[in-house]
Amino acid sequence: MAIFGKKKESFKGRGLALEEGVIIPTHIGIIMDGNGRWAKKRGLPRKVGHREGAKVFRTITRYCSEVGVKYLTVYAFSTENWKRPEDEVGALMGLFKSYLKEALEDFKDDDIVVRFIGEKSGFSQELQELMDENVEIAKDRKGMVLNIAMNYGSRDEIVRAVRKIGDEVKSGALSPEDIDEKVVSDRLYTAGQPDPDLIIRPSGEYRISNFMLWQAAYTEFVIMDKLWPDFKKSDLDEAIRIYSQRNRRYGGV
Ligand code: IPE
Ligand code: IPE
Ligand code: MG
């Protein structure tokens, strides 16, 4: 975890509003929720909300990297979101395509490493190739790691890990007594990454919706009333300030 302001010079001129001494979470997760309601409030189709949400994703991702977050995981599409009407799913796939073509290139200036978590094979061949290209382009970067959770479901992730462990036991590569928490963690999509310190859910919903169930064992939650398309850098500042004041005990005293 980094203490904000320690390397003040490097933040100069970027208009950052966090006070010196605020604790910056190493890993932030964001459940980007509320796009549909944002559009509905304006009498617009839900897909317009998704378009606005995608812009906010771009702004907030860069901002996280600027304030010194090391890992950012954004929940973009869940394994359950396929059950939405066909035209909404279609609009989301279209958005993913255009973002993977253009916006992710943008993250070059911020040196952001791009990764995808979730079951890639659920997407069209074209999308899968775009995902691979984006990972490839960004692989030697040194900055923040951005995990984009697409066709991600935490239960699905855990089931896949259990299956892998089962295969390894069957082949003799692993014995049941050697299965510990690390063995499980290392078979999740987030293998090798620290657990999220803070998960932010905009749109006022008090639930986790199948996001990082294993990884969030000791994560701090901040629920915010704003809908995702209305989410501003100042809202991220606020969530970080709230997080910074929490007393994390991990079961101790
Ligand atoms: C989040 O916004 C985006 C995705 C789930 C893809 P929603 O579309 O869930 O927006 P609400 O919750 O209906 O307002
Ligand atoms: C969670 O939001 C998934 C994403 C933000 C991608 P949902 O809108 O799908 O969650 P529920 O249905 O409100 O639990
Ligand atoms: Mg929602």
Side-chain angles (χ1 to χ4, degrees), residues 87-116:
D87 64 328
E88 181 171 349
V89 171
L92 281 162
M93 295 305 134
L95 259 181
F96 292 151
K97 239 179 263 174
S98 54
Y99 261 72
L100 294 181
K101 280 192 182 134
E102 302 158 25
L104 295 182
E105 261 281 298
D106 278 15
F107 295 149
K108 187 169 62 205
D109 298 338
D110 302 80
D111 214 20
I112 295 172
V113 179
V114 180
R115 303 199 33 187
F116 293 93

Side-chain angles (χ1 to χ4, degrees), residues 11-18 63 66 233 237:
F11 294 116
K12 237 188 229 163
R14 293 205 187 183
L16 303 183
L18 286 169
Y63 188 59
E66 283 173 18
K233 292 177 183 177
D237 290 342

Side-chain angles (χ1 to χ4, degrees), residues 49-65:
H50 295 311
R51 206 156 65 211
E52 289 309 303
K55 290 185 197 157
V56 173
F57 150 73
R58 205 159 160 172
T59 310
I60 296 298
T61 296
R62 292 175 124 172
Y63 188 59
C64 281
S65 139

Side-chain angles (χ1 to χ4, degrees), residues 69-213:
V69 172
K70 301 287 180 235
Y71 296 85
L72 171 67
T73 302
V74 293
Y75 203 5
F77 193 85
S78 76
T79 45
E80 287 73 37
N81 287 147
W82 296 106
K83 64 170 88 133
R84 294 188 177 199
E86 218 178 294
D87 64 328
E88 181 171 349
V89 171
L92 281 162
M93 295 305 134
L95 259 181
F96 292 151
K97 239 179 263 174
S98 54
Y99 261 72
L100 294 181
K101 280 192 182 134
E102 302 158 25
L104 295 182
E105 261 281 298
D106 278 15
F107 295 149
K108 187 169 62 205
D109 298 338
D110 302 80
D111 214 20
I112 295 172
V113 179
V114 180
R115 303 199 33 187
F116 293 93
I117 63 170
E119 196 35 47
K120 216 172 59 179
S121 64
F123 295 108
S124 69
Q125 198 58 39
E126 188 190 359
L127 251 175
Q128 290 186 45
E129 281 165 18
L130 279 168
M131 289 160 96
D132 290 343
E133 270 170 45
N134 274 282
V135 171
E136 181 61 27
I137 289 170
K139 76 174 192 310
D140 295 324
R141 294 185 191 155
K142 299 279 178 285
M144 182 180 83
V145 174
L146 167 67
N147 297 313
I148 306 178
M150 274 169 59
N151 194 18
Y152 174 89
S154 192
R155 285 190 165 184
D156 180 61
E157 176 183 38
I158 293 167
V159 167
R160 283 168 197 279
V162 171
R163 232 183 258 151
K164 266 186 222 157
I165 292 170
D167 285 343
E168 288 171 48
V169 169
K170 200 167 146 196
S171 74
L174 191 69
S175 61
E177 332 43 278
D178 292 335
I179 301 170
D180 58 12
E181 293 188 7
K182 188 169 183 304
V183 166
V184 177
S185 294
D186 286 349
R187 281 147 189 83
L188 300 177
Y189 294 121
T190 49
Q193 301 189 10
D195 289 337
D197 301 290
L198 165 67
I199 288 181
I200 304 169
R201 183 158 191 163
S203 93
E205 303 289 4
Y206 284 72
R207 58 176 169 266
I208 194 160
S209 302
N210 206 8
F211 185 56
M212 301 190 107
L213 302 178

